[in-house]
Amino acid sequence: MNTECANLLSFLSGELGEKEKKAFTEHLMHCSECTREYEQMTEAWNSLKWDFEEIEPSSSLKSEVMNFVFETDDEVPVRREKNWSSFFFKQFTPVTSGLLLAALVLAFVLLYSNIQLKKELAAMNLPMEVKTSLSLQPADKTAVNMNTDGAAYILQQGEERRLIVQIQNLPSLQESEVYQVWLLKDGKRTNAGTFKPDEAGTGSLTYKLSINDKFNQIGITREPDSNSTKPRGEKIVGSS
């Protein structure tokens, strides 16, 4: 087959320009093979229109098309979700699906932990400042051998504030007794936590302050247990 014969389909489909069409028409007159194929293709093409039967569209066709076009938004995601879930379970066995789901959950947990760790490391790089310091003195300075004292500090690192309380020479406690720290502001008390001293009578407490924690005095009482919502025992030390 020469290059002219290769233009038969293009000639039939009307893709040839005028010059190429004229050249192929002349070629068709001298090429018996192209002439035979051209006649067979033309006959087949002309017979196609007799193989179709025109059918009158049904009266419900318009409504069916419009219902599909104006399908509600909440129906589309449901169908897509079903299609995706169907595809997912066809591709993987139940065991594989479970393992894949577990891997995705683990990846999410690790990502979240990594973000939290980055935040903590960033916070560690911030300078820590002592914003306030308070001296803690015995509440009853006339008591015999009452040499308990200490200090409280408000440390700030970025936006985070912490209260540090350190006291020495605290009297020993009995059984469930605890020392409880109270923050005072305009006669109102806020519970800042409890602690127990060591054998040497040294005790300490760290309390994370919220934005609403505002005070100008600190008092420490000796409580019968850690369930006090207001002072029930005697005041041991406090700020002046």
Side-chain angles (χ1 to χ4, degrees), residues 22 31 45 47 57 78 80 83 136 145 159-160 175 207 219 224 238:
K22 183 178 180 181
C31 181
W45 176 260
S47 64
V78 171
R80 289 178 179 175
N83 290 339
L136 302 178
N145 296 325
E159 298 181 356
E160 186 175 285
E175 298 179 353
Y207 177 71

Side-chain angles (χ1 to χ4, degrees), residues 21-201:
K21 187 185 295 185
K22 183 178 180 181
F24 187 80
T25 302
E26 294 179 358
H27 166 77
L28 195 61
M29 296 174 61
H30 301 89
C31 181
S32 58
E33 184 177 353
C34 286
T35 300
R36 178 174 53 80
E37 291 185 6
Y38 174 74
E39 291 176 351
Q40 292 176 349
M41 290 184 179
T42 302
E43 181 179 356
W45 176 260
N46 292 333
S47 64
L48 284 177
K49 61 181 180 178
W50 305 110
D51 293 337
F52 295 97
E53 179 181 357
E54 294 185 1
I55 301 176
E56 186 71 20
S58 64
S59 58
S60 62
L61 178 60
K62 181 178 179 180
S63 60
E64 292 174 359
V65 172
M66 297 305 293
N67 289 337
F68 176 80
V69 173
F70 293 101
E71 186 179 37
T72 57
D73 293 338
D74 57 341
E75 291 175 347
V76 175
V78 171
R79 183 185 299 113
R80 289 178 179 175
E81 182 179 353
K82 290 181 179 179
N83 290 339
W84 276 107
S85 61
S86 176
F87 172 79
F88 184 82
F89 285 110
K90 285 181 179 179
Q91 298 299 318
F92 303 101
T93 64
V95 174
T96 305
S97 301
L99 292 175
L100 181 58
L101 179 60
L104 291 174
V105 172
L106 179 60
F108 176 78
V109 171
L110 292 176
L111 177 62
Y112 179 78
S113 300
N114 188 35
I115 294 174
Q116 292 299 111
L117 180 60
K118 286 182 179 180
K119 289 183 178 180
E120 293 177 4
L121 291 176
M124 292 175 61
N125 293 328
L126 294 174
M128 184 176 291
E129 303 177 63
V130 179
K131 306 299 291 186
T132 306
S133 62
L134 298 172
S135 176
L136 302 178
Q137 302 296 329
D140 185 1
K141 296 182 180 180
T142 63
V144 179
N145 296 325
M146 194 61 177
N147 57 352
T148 302
D149 62 2
Y153 308 93
I154 297 179
L155 305 180
Q156 183 159 352
Q157 187 177 31
E159 298 181 356
E160 186 175 285
R161 295 188 307 153
R162 291 185 181 274
L163 171 67
I164 308 296
V165 177
Q166 296 177 333
I167 307 176
Q168 298 82 34
N169 302 316
L170 282 165
S172 59
L173 299 174
Q174 302 296 325
E175 298 179 353
S176 62
E177 288 184 330
V178 295
Y179 286 109
Q180 189 154 354
V181 180
W182 304 94
L183 309 180
L184 294 88
K185 174 72 173 178
D186 299 330
K188 296 181 179 180
R189 293 182 177 86
T190 301
N191 179 10
T194 61
F195 67 92
K196 288 189 175 185
D198 58 21
E199 294 180 356

